Amino acid sequence: MSAYPKSYNPFDDDDAENEDSRPVPWKDDRDLPDGLGAPADRQQYLRQEVMRRAEATAASTNRSLSLMYESEKIGVASSEELIRQRGVLERTEKMVDKMDQDLKTSQKHINSIKSMFGGLVNYFKSKPAETPPEQNGTLPPQANSRLKEAISTSKEQEAHYQASHPNLRKVNDSDSIPGGTGPAASTEAYPKNPHLRAYHQKIDSNLDELSIGLGRLKDIALGMQTEIEEQDDILDRLTTKVDKLDVNIKSTERKVRQL
């Protein structure tokens, strides 16, 4: 069994110069004092420790709220970029369809030039359906309803965030105590200490907002997934049309050279 006390600090002992000196006990400011006032001091220490941990928890939930808010803003921005990308794909598909229609008209004229018989065939052949020209004010791209609803809900909530947390991006730990008593919840579940009760109410309020915010983030993620799947279908359809158009262009070039 060791001859030194449990709180002995080996680094305070100079084993070369002070071999006969007694070991210096390890001192820590958080150690509970001994003596006549130890029970009262212990209670005071425990109260301070509870307050310190409650304050740290409230500050942590504030930071979590800030990160969730930033994530939601990034999700909304990414969703809007997906919608813009959908508009580009839809316009590209319309352009490819228009090119295919123009190419069919060109092939019809080439057949008319090549022979009298081809001209007669083209005369009696039904004309390809012409698409009406697009107006200058094109309609904005329409995303899937799930994503549109998620974006709308998040944007509506943004004003509430700014009103209830004006300094949410720069959270100050000292501001984690709410000014009032919070919502009229059952106060019997909270401690009697008003400061500790304020911390607990703030933590519960932040956790409720986190739960609702994470639900909105989930809706945005699912809406983005649906939008990406729909755009994949547009890309597959567009790839098929472009491949077909490329074959028709090469065929038309050969016919032009044979004139």
Side-chain angles (χ1 to χ4, degrees):
M1 185 174 181
S2 175
Y4 298 113
K6 188 175 181 180
S7 60
Y8 165 65
N9 183 6
F11 298 101
D12 290 337
D13 184 19
D14 190 353
D15 52 330
E17 298 177 359
N18 303 319
E19 295 181 355
D20 297 333
S21 62
R22 298 181 63 183
V24 180
W26 182 276
K27 293 294 183 182
D28 194 338
D29 295 336
R30 295 176 297 177
D31 289 344
L32 295 178
D34 297 327
L36 296 177
D41 293 337
R42 182 183 296 272
Q43 290 181 1
Q44 179 66 19
Y45 168 77
L46 292 176
R47 283 195 295 266
Q48 293 176 355
E49 184 68 14
V50 169
M51 291 292 295
R52 185 181 67 82
R53 292 183 180 276
E55 181 181 4
T57 304
S60 176
T61 55
N62 269 344
R63 290 191 294 270
S64 300
L65 263 182
S66 177
L67 292 174
M68 189 271 296
Y69 172 58
E70 293 294 335
S71 300
E72 191 172 359
K73 287 187 65 177
I74 294 173
V76 170
S78 302
S79 301
E80 291 175 342
E81 178 62 23
L82 268 179
I83 295 175
R84 187 196 65 81
Q85 178 177 299
R86 182 191 186 99
V88 173
L89 289 175
E90 290 176 348
R91 288 194 297 271
T92 303
E93 187 176 15
K94 290 179 180 178
M95 290 175 61
V96 171
D97 291 338
K98 183 67 169 58
M99 292 173 63
D100 184 66
Q101 181 180 339
D102 293 342
L103 189 60
K104 289 179 180 179
T105 304
S106 300
Q107 290 176 347
K108 178 182 177 181
H109 294 321
I110 291 173
N111 292 334
S112 300
I113 295 173
K114 286 180 63 176
S115 64
M116 182 68 68
F117 178 74
L120 292 174
V121 170
N122 290 330
Y123 180 79
F124 291 104
K125 190 176 181 181
S126 61
K127 295 182 179 180
E130 295 183 358
T131 58
E134 295 185 1
Q135 299 179 355
N136 293 332
T138 57
L139 295 175
Q142 298 295 327
N144 65 83
S145 57
R146 189 171 198 173
L147 184 58
K148 288 172 60 179
E149 183 178 357
I151 293 176
S152 176
T153 304
S154 294
K155 286 188 174 181
E156 290 176 359
Q157 190 67 21
E158 184 175 357
H160 170 69
Y161 269 121
Q162 296 296 341
S164 59
H165 302 279
N167 298 321
L168 193 57
R169 290 189 180 181
K170 300 178 290 185
V171 175
N172 187 358
D173 292 348
S174 62
D175 297 335
S176 58
I177 305 177
T181 57
S186 59
T187 56
E188 296 179 356
Y190 294 108
K192 295 182 178 180
N193 186 305
H195 297 288
L196 188 59
R197 184 190 305 120
Y199 279 125
H200 283 206
Q201 289 176 342
K202 180 62 176 177
I203 292 170
D204 289 346
S205 175
N206 287 349
L207 291 177
D208 289 340
E209 288 192 37
L210 277 172
S211 176
I212 298 173
L214 290 175
R216 290 194 303 270
L217 277 176
K218 177 183 176 182
D219 291 338
I220 291 175
L222 292 175
M224 290 177 65
Q225 179 184 5
T226 303
E227 181 66 23
I228 290 174
E229 291 175 353
E230 292 181 1
Q231 290 190 22
D232 284 342
D233 295 338
I234 296 176
L235 282 172
D236 293 340
R237 190 168 63 244
L238 185 59
T239 301
T240 302
K241 290 182 178 181
V242 169
D243 292 340
K244 180 181 177 182
L245 182 64
D246 183 63
V247 173
N248 291 337
I249 289 175
K250 291 179 180 178
S251 174
T252 304
E253 287 179 350
R254 288 195 300 268
K255 291 181 181 180
V256 171
R257 293 192 185 97
Q258 294 174 0
L259 290 178

